[in-house]
Amino acid sequence: MKVLVINCGSSSLKYQLIDSDSEQVLAKGLCERIGIDGRLTYQKAGGEKEVTDEAMPTHKEAIQLVLSALTNSKTGALEDLSGIDAVGHRIVHGGEKFSSSAIVTDDMIKEVEECSSLAPLHNPANLIGIRACQELMPGVPMVGVFDTAFHQTMPKKAYLYGLPRDYYTKQGIRKYGFHGTSHSFVSKETAKFLGLDLNHSKIIVAHLGNGASICAVKDGKSVDTSMGMTPLSGLVMGTRSGDIDPSIVQFISRNEGLDVDGVMDVLNKKSGVFGLSDGLSSDFRDLESAAGEGNEAAAEALDVFAYRVASIIGEYIAVLDGVDAIAFTAGIGENDGLVRANVMNYFHYMGIEIDPEKNQLRGENVKISTDDSKVAVCVIPTNEELMICRETVALVK
Ligand code: AMP
C-alpha cells in the first residue's frame, strides 16, 4: 500500500509518501508559512530537494500543492492520485477517548473536536488537515494516530494530579503524556534490536529533541511519562521550562507585570536551556561549542538538562522495579554523545557503563553500553511517520 502521512501544524504541514510493503519513503516534504505566503518543499526519493514559493492561503491549497507535486509528470512519485491507498494523520491530543489509532469518520472527528480544549493550538490544525484531505481525496480511507494514545495505559496513580478530584472528573485535568507515537515505536524497536521479549520487558525511552520526554514502558505498555496535561511539563527542554514550582507563575506575574498568558509564553518560549543560557541558543550544538569556549551559563544549561534527564530515568527505574534497556532517541538523543554520556554517568552505581567509541556512532540502531554493562543502553532513531504508516495500514487493511 502507498500511504500519505500528514502532520499538520497551525501554519505548516509535513508529509511523507511511504510504501508500506518496503517501508521506503517515496517522497517527502513540507509546506511552510500557510496563511502567510507559502513555501513548498518536495523531494522524491533519490531526487533533488525542490523549494518553491507558492500561495497557500489555507491548508487546503497546501495539500492541493502537495498532491500536484506527488503527481507531477517529471518529478512526481505517483502517476495519479489513485496511487494513494490511505492517509495517516498525526493528531496531538486524543484525551481519554482514544487509547489507540482510529479510522476517520464523522463521529471520530466530533470526538477529536471535543478534545480540542486540551490542545487548542494543535487539534484544530490537525482537523483542518483531515477535512482538506477528505475534500481533495474523497473515498480514500484515513486514520488518525494520536500522540497521547500510547500513554492511556498509565495507571491512575501515575496520571492523577494532587488537585480537587472534580477538576479531573469534570474537566479532564490529568497527565496525558505526548510523543506517544515515538515512545511506542522506539520501545518496540529496542526490544527487537536487543532480542528482548517486549511483553516481558522494562524499557525506558528518552525522547530528547527540542521538545523532550521520557517514558517508562513495562511489557510494551506506557506506565508513566514526563510530559503532563500539556507538553510543558517534565524535562527542561529547548525553550520550555519543564516542571517548576507552580507558585512561580504567580511570582513572575507580580514581579514582571505579566498576566497568566504572558507568564505561560515565558515558560513555553523563553525558558529551558535557551533561558538558562541567557538567550544564547536552544540548540545543543551551539551550547556545547559555547561551553567549550568557557561560557558558564551554557555549561550550566547543559548540566541542568542532563541532571533532569537522569533524575527522571532514576525515578522510572523505581517505577519499573528495575530496567532492561534505556533507549535514547530524537535530535539530541540520536546525535549528542556528550549528553548521553553525561546522563548515564549518574548510573555508575548500578553498573551501567557506556563504551565511548560506540557512543560516537550515528544514524542507526546501536548499543552504546559495554558488553558487561548491567543494563543495555541504546540509540534508536525514531520514525514517527513510519509508525503512523504502520498504524494506518493495520486499521485500513
Ligand atoms: P528534534 O526536535 O528531535 O528535531 O531535535 C532538535 C534538536 O536536536 C536541536 O535543537 C538540537 O538541539 C539537537 N541536535 C540536532 N542535531 C544535533 C547534533 N548533531 N548534536 C547535538 N545536538 C543536535
Side-chain angles (χ1 to χ4, degrees):
M1 278 175 85
K2 292 194 178 74
V3 178
L4 180 61
V5 174
I6 300 269
N7 181 352
C8 223
S10 54
S11 67
S12 68
L13 181 159
K14 289 188 220 153
Y15 64 91
Q16 281 192 7
L17 182 70
I18 301 176
D19 180 332
S20 68
D21 298 324
S22 63
E23 299 202 329
Q24 294 299 309
V25 176
L26 304 174
K28 64 179 178 180
L30 170 71
C31 298
E32 293 168 283
R33 301 176 62 84
I34 301 170
I36 307 168
D37 37 26
R39 171 167 298 167
L40 173 75
T41 306
Y42 172 81
Q43 187 173 21
K44 186 181 170 183
E48 293 285 307
K49 194 187 265 185
E50 301 163 24
V51 183
T52 42
D53 289 334
E54 304 257 14
M56 296 174 192
T58 71
H59 289 73
K60 187 173 163 190
E61 287 82 12
I63 291 174
Q64 216 149 18
L65 288 165
V66 170
L67 299 180
S68 305
L70 286 171
T71 51
N72 181 291
S73 56
K74 283 195 195 120
T75 53
L78 293 169
E79 261 176 42
D80 57 56
L81 285 186
S82 67
I84 298 177
D85 298 301
V87 183
H89 293 271
R90 175 193 179 213
I91 303 178
V92 168
H93 219 304
E96 288 190 330
K97 290 180 196 295
F98 295 98
S99 54
S100 57
S101 304
I103 297 261
V104 175
T105 61
D106 290 347
D107 286 347
M108 179 270 196
I109 289 179
K110 221 179 278 164
E111 289 189 317
V112 174
E113 273 167 351
E114 286 166 18
C115 300
S116 284
S117 65
L118 294 166
L121 295 179
H122 294 101
N123 274 25
N126 302 153
L127 283 168
I128 289 172
I130 290 178
R131 291 204 179 94
C133 284
Q134 284 182 318
E135 242 183 283
L136 296 167
M137 289 175 272
V140 175
M142 301 195 193
V143 168
V145 180
F146 300 88
D147 276 17
T148 50
F150 183 59
H151 302 299
Q152 279 296 302
T153 46
M154 282 189 290
K156 257 191 169 158
K157 64 185 175 189
Y159 72 68
L160 285 181
Y161 291 127
L163 290 170
R165 181 163 278 272
D166 63 356
Y167 287 13
Y168 165 60
T169 52
K170 296 207 175 112
Q171 301 176 51
I173 296 177
R174 51 160 282 182
K175 179 189 277 195
Y176 290 97
F178 297 87
H179 293 141
T181 311
S182 176
H183 288 303
S184 169
F185 178 83
V186 173
S187 52
K188 288 182 177 70
E189 284 293 306
T190 304
K192 219 189 303 170
F193 177 59
L194 294 173
L196 298 171
D197 174 3
L198 182 70
N199 296 323
H200 296 93
S201 65
K202 299 170 180 180
I203 297 173
I204 295 175
V205 179
H207 177 113
L208 309 179
N210 202 27
S213 71
I214 302 188
C215 184
V217 186
K218 186 162 196 292
D219 304 338
K221 297 190 174 78
S222 168
V223 292
D224 204 351
T225 189
S226 59
M227 282 179 170
M229 180 167 125
T230 74
L232 180 57
S233 70
L235 299 172
V236 167
M237 306 179 216
T239 62
R240 288 176 234 164
S241 64
D243 288 345
I244 58 166
D245 176 344
S247 304
I248 295 171
V249 174
Q250 184 191 43
F251 198 85
I252 301 176
S253 167
R254 285 190 185 145
N255 286 359
E256 300 285 325
L258 294 170
D259 61 12
V260 173
D261 287 349
V263 179
M264 296 315 290
D265 203 52
V266 172
L267 299 183
N268 271 299
K269 298 186 186 146
K270 297 179 186 148
S271 301
V273 291
F274 173 80
L276 278 168
S277 66
D278 231 353
L280 179 78
S281 179
S282 59
D283 193 303
F284 277 60
R285 288 163 286 198
D286 301 337
L287 295 173
E288 279 161 17
S289 68
E293 287 159 12
N295 184 316
E296 261 181 51
E300 278 173 9
L302 293 167
D303 277 353
V304 171
F305 181 83
Y307 179 81
R308 192 72 78 85
V309 173
S311 305
I312 294 183
I313 291 177
E315 185 182 324
Y316 289 170
I317 291 173
V319 163
L320 292 170
D321 191 18
V323 61
D324 300 319
I326 298 171
F328 286 90
T329 196
I332 302 159
E334 289 170 29
N335 294 300
D336 197 326
L338 188 64
V339 166
R340 293 192 297 257
N342 287 343
V343 169
M344 295 323 300
N345 261 337
Y346 286 93
F347 297 93
H348 279 313
Y349 80 93
M350 53 181 286
I352 297 184
E353 296 294 338
I354 298 300
D355 180 327
E357 275 176 26
K358 289 186 193 155
N359 192 28
Q360 298 307 319
L361 298 175
R362 276 212 199 155
E364 52 185 322
N365 292 350
V366 52
K367 187 169 145 195
I368 59 169
S369 49
T370 59
D371 289 341
D372 52 4
S373 173
K374 289 278 186 292
V375 174
V377 182
C378 310
V379 176
I380 306 286
T382 191
N383 193 337
E384 289 164 280
E385 289 77 13
L386 179 56
M387 189 71 193
I388 293 173
C389 169
R390 286 179 184 169
E391 292 277 299
T392 303
V393 171
L395 283 183
V396 163
K397 260 194 172 163

